[in-house]
Amino acid sequence: MRKKITVSVLSIVGLGILYVAFLQLKIYQHSHQEIPKNVDYVIVLGARVKGTVPSLSLQYRIDAAAAYLLENKKTIAIVSGGQGEGEDISEAEAMRRELVRKGVEESRIILEDQSTSTYENITFSKKLIPSGSKTGLIVSNDFHLYRASMIAEREELQVTGIPAKTPEIVLVKSYVREYLAITKYYITRI
């Protein structure tokens, strides 16, 4: 009996390790894609704002979006994120301010300031994509691009991701939460 329990536990642990390795591979693949130039739009996904100051995760997303937008002058940005608890402005407004401060023309920035989740970021932003736009990108932290891309694909958006760094201080927590979020996404699609 003891041997059967040990074998069962080891099998479960082994399957868990394989599952996490699979998720890590998918996350890696989606954060290391070739980024096309001159796409029609980028959707920048929101993250926490402290008062009016972007969290480090959000700042990295803003920096990645700004670098792309400054090199690709015809691309528009849809900044996506509502106002949560402890936030004096919406995540979208914080992104707009920072992008303008970095030199992106305000006329190229569209605000989506009602969303409260990744799913809402993408579905609400989709409604704001100018008609005739075909190619797009999603900007988020590297760990987040796989799930965001799956949601975008489900919404019939053909996008690639621009990976922003993940702050080292939240690296482990971010990946563990993302593994759980991806698992929940898989389960809800079944």
Side-chain angles (χ1 to χ4, degrees):
M1 182 68 168
R2 191 178 196 158
K3 187 176 180 180
K4 285 183 180 180
I5 292 173
T6 302
V7 168
S8 295
V9 168
L10 290 175
S11 296
I12 291 169
V13 168
L15 287 173
I17 291 169
L18 285 174
Y19 178 66
V20 168
F22 167 77
L23 293 180
Q24 192 58 43
L25 174 65
K26 299 307 276 181
I27 289 169
Y28 177 84
Q29 288 172 335
H30 280 79
S31 63
H32 288 82
Q33 296 177 321
E34 187 172 334
I35 300 168
K37 299 219 178 287
N38 299 310
V39 298
D40 297 319
Y41 64 90
V42 297
I43 299 172
V44 189
L45 302 182
R48 188 165 173 241
V49 173
K50 300 171 186 173
T52 61
V53 178
S55 63
L56 193 52
S57 290
L58 184 56
Q59 188 62 55
Y60 287 157
R61 295 177 189 192
I62 294 165
D63 294 344
Y68 185 88
L69 291 165
L70 292 171
E71 283 185 19
N72 298 274
K73 299 288 188 186
K74 294 188 179 191
T75 302
I76 61 117
I78 301 170
V79 290
S80 181
Q83 183 175 343
E85 193 174 316
E87 297 178 336
D88 295 336
I89 58 174
S90 69
E91 295 163 5
E93 176 60 22
M95 288 186 274
R96 183 198 64 78
R97 290 179 184 182
E98 284 294 302
L99 287 172
V100 168
R101 189 179 68 73
K102 289 178 170 291
V104 177
E105 300 87 356
E106 192 164 356
S107 62
R108 294 172 59 202
I109 303 170
I110 300 170
L111 267 69
E112 182 293 295
D113 61 1
Q114 300 301 307
S115 58
T116 60
S117 67
T118 302
Y119 175 77
E120 288 181 356
N121 286 148
I122 292 167
T123 56
F124 295 179
S125 294
K126 179 183 177 182
K127 296 173 187 172
L128 301 175
I129 297 170
S131 68
S133 297
K134 292 182 178 12
T135 57
L137 294 165
I138 290 181
V139 181
S140 193
N141 302 98
D142 49 12
F143 71 87
H144 191 221
L145 286 176
Y146 172 50
R147 183 165 55 98
S149 295
M150 285 191 295
I151 294 169
E153 186 177 318
R154 193 167 106 191
E155 290 298 310
E156 299 178 351
L157 295 175
Q158 299 302 315
V159 295
T160 305
I162 296 178
K165 291 192 308 188
T166 300
E168 287 184 23
I169 194 159
V170 296
L171 196 64
V172 172
K173 178 178 144 186
S174 296
Y175 273 86
V176 169
R177 285 182 63 205
E178 192 62 15
Y179 295 153
L180 295 173
I182 293 169
T183 302
K184 179 181 175 187
Y185 179 80
Y186 286 160
I187 291 169
T188 59
R189 288 199 61 197
I190 293 176

